[in-house]
């Protein structure tokens, strides 16, 4: 997305926060832990 498009969709911070919250509520919070390294020795 180019900056011009971003400003069109999110004209201010409140609009950006609202859109992010809607996406987060729809998809949920996903947590993927980092792969664990095995320690030898």
């Amino acid at each position: 997305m180019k900056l011009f498009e971003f400003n069109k969709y999110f004209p201010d911070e409140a609009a950006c926060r609202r859109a992010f919250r809607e996406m987060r509520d729809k998809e949920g919070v996903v947590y993927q832990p980092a792969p664990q390294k095995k320690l030898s020795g």
Side-chain angles (χ1 to χ4, degrees), residues 1 7 20:
M1 178 181 297
N7 286 332
F20 181 77

Side-chain angles (χ1 to χ4, degrees), residues 1-2 7 10-11 14 22 28 31 36 38 40-41:
M1 178 181 297
K2 295 181 180 182
N7 286 332
F10 311 112
E22 288 171 5
Y31 170 73
Q36 299 294 317
K38 292 185 179 183
S40 60

Side-chain angles (χ1 to χ4, degrees), residues 2 4-7 9 11 14 16-18 22 24-26 31-32 34-35 37-38:
K2 295 181 180 182
F4 180 76
E5 291 175 282
F6 184 86
N7 286 332
Y9 289 110
C16 187
R17 287 179 180 268
R18 198 168 34 254
E22 288 171 5
R24 185 185 65 200
D25 290 345
K26 179 181 174 187
Y31 170 73
Q32 294 180 334
K37 294 182 180 180
K38 292 185 179 183

